[in-house]
Amino acid sequence: MIRSSRHPAALLLVSTALVSVVAHARPPRHAGKETASSAGHAAAPAAPTASRPTAPSAARSIPAPKGEDVSVVGGIRSANGVTNTTPGGGLMARQTTARSQSTVTRDFIAKQAPTGNAIAMIAALPGVISASTDPLGQSNTAMSIRGLQQAEIGFVYEGIPLNDSINYTPYTQAMVDTDNIQSVTVAQGAPDIGAPVYNDVGGLVTVALRGPLDRRGGMVDFSFGSKSLQREFIRYDTGEIGHSGVKAFASFSSTTNDQWRGSGMFKKYHVDSKIIKNWGEGSSAGLIFSYDNWQQGNYRPATMAQWKQYGTSFNYTKEYSPGNTNWIGLQQYQRRSTVLIAPVKLKLSQSVSLDVTPAYMNYSEFYFGGVTIKDKGSYFGSEPIADLNLPYQTNGVMTASSINPVPQKIGFVNNALTWKEGVNTFRAGYIYTYIGLEEPIYYAPVGYDGGIANRYNKYMVALPDGRQYRTLDMNFKHQMNEIFVDDELKLLGGRLTLEGGLRYLMITRWATNLIPGATHYKVGGSYAQPLPQVSASFKITPRDQIYIDGTTSYRAPASVQVYGEVFSTSSPRPASKQSSLKGEYAIGEEIGYRHYSTVNISVSLFNYNITNNQITSSQYINGIPLPSPIEAGGKTSRGAQGEIGLRPWHHWSPYVSAQYLHATTDNDIHKGNDLLPTRGKIAVQSPKFSAAVGIAYDDGSIFGNFNFNYVGSQYSAIMDDEKLPAYETANITLGYRMHRVWFAEHPQFQLNVVNIGAKNYLSGVQSISTNAKATRGRYGTTIAGSSPLYLSAGGVAVVASLSTGF
């Protein structure tokens, strides 16, 4: 295992040194007006009128997607940014953009379990279905929006893409601590045209950082709970250093707990920091640094038959014996992330501004599994191996740790020029991404006692000639160029807004595979797609708005395995095949209405038509789950969504959201030399009905909320011959917030109870199948079925937190 306990401490010292530059010039602790991002220590700003919503944060250098408005209309003092001003208990911030969009703010985020992540925070929003393998929100989550998978949804954090660059998994929990999230915005179907992503067929999720505060101070939080949970978090803000216009923060968190099911542990260290310099009227330059070290045992997925027989006891085993590849010591996952973002905003004139965001991301990811390898009769690609001379053999077979490192180095720059003249705003931009990745799969011997000498490319299984034994050996490169233009026109005194734009996406990928027998040594693909968007909105009254939009979107094929073949240790034929997948393309339309008053209402109707629909599934090869896209032809999704939230009224804020969805597969799917009769079937991961109900209370001292989610049944096989049953979840928060106690500012106690009732249920699908049962094809052949794999949710979790500002 990684000996990494010293690394986070060193990184924290570096970050603290960065943000404490010339901090000896202590700023006066006055109670002047502060930005919305400083709400944790600031007096509440004055209430805006309904026609003048305030901006979400003045600390951000790259602007939020156009139209994202987080209203702050008064509030209470707290150390963690709660103002108690957002309708629906923080779930329904005001929006003005001409698309379906919802935002959760600190009023909700700060009252959830601090172990959670951005996806868990948006589970109550209309159209969002979130599934997790543990109630603490620590492990990878699976989600969908309007029936589109998470790999079809773009994620953006402070101007950079959050999704994995190749398989598009959003590792939100590795990028930023929940304590440092200011808001999370979900554009359910029509993302901003300047978003720096290339997989956003199904909308966009934007995570905003809670930037440096205007006053010097900080916050600490200590959490304890189920499964021996221990979490410590500390954040320090310099405030404005002298009168330099420079302010910064750094934070560090450490989390450990036992696995929720079975054996194993979860361990995570995380650092966030940002320094920013403001000058003039609207110019700024900043540096954001994030480091994450995340290690855990895997949770074992189950087929429906295994779930019905074993339930939550279907886990990886605690003890090792030779040949036992289901030992938890072999089923591990590790990810280390280092991210640097340098946002710059230049006010070139009264009407022209330039935003430039360069970034560097270094992701070191390891998938571990278990496999048995024959000493004689194994294969190196298509070549048989006479004798591997393996140690620790039992009857000619050795147990090995399968190791799949996926190191990614990413260079990125996002540029946007905005020109505002009178009633017209013109925007043009250029985005560039370069990715380098070397992905092997190699094997480490496992001793009779379960000991593994090394997992990081030393003492691996070797071929007779001394070369390392591998079943995948790819070098992958990716280059993206994107240009966009966008124009917004406001007429009738600002009541009518018309907008149109075009983005042009160009992607080139190339790869080599050194394994003998690979169909092609060099492979790759090029993709180019123009993507126009149009929208219009009209303010009927200062409180009422209608809008309509038409969008196009595109996603390049997901997964390195699209371009290369993975071999098995026991066969000369590839276990996965190269694919000639085309990019996924969608045309969408929305029409909606909003009303903002004491009671706030937002409703919309939507329609999507998708061609070359790619369903992301997974395939276990040599004990490692690898992405396996399924070509599913066309897809149509239609439905309605809505949400209602009340402004704080006598300290109460209720919230309700719901969605009706009708999504279908439009084509039969090729299977071998036949066609699987899938045309007209209900699409997978597309529950017909989903809803959430919440109610929050906060009088400045006593606070709490209750949230209930219902998710209807959803198919897990494209033939609709197996489904995930409907389920319900409920969470509750209770807390008490004090005033100043000696040096402690607003200390509070918070209790989170997640999954009340401890109901065990299947929360999501890990591996989708084309057909779960044997099916007769269009041409009369019998097409064998394969069982989908499911994620099992955890039981009840209790987390107690004690926090304070200083």
Side-chain angles (χ1 to χ4, degrees), residues 31-99:
K33 184 177 179 181
E34 303 191 17
T35 64
S37 65
S38 307
H41 295 281
T49 63
S51 60
R52 294 183 59 192
T54 61
S57 173
R60 300 175 64 196
S61 295
I62 289 297
K66 297 178 69 174
E68 179 184 330
D69 296 303
V70 181
S71 297
V72 179
V73 293
I76 59 177
R77 293 175 63 86
S78 70
N80 56 11
V82 171
T83 61
N84 197 30
T85 57
T86 309
L91 288 166
M92 197 176 175
R94 182 167 185 166
Q95 312 292 336
T96 61
T97 186
R99 60 172 174 256

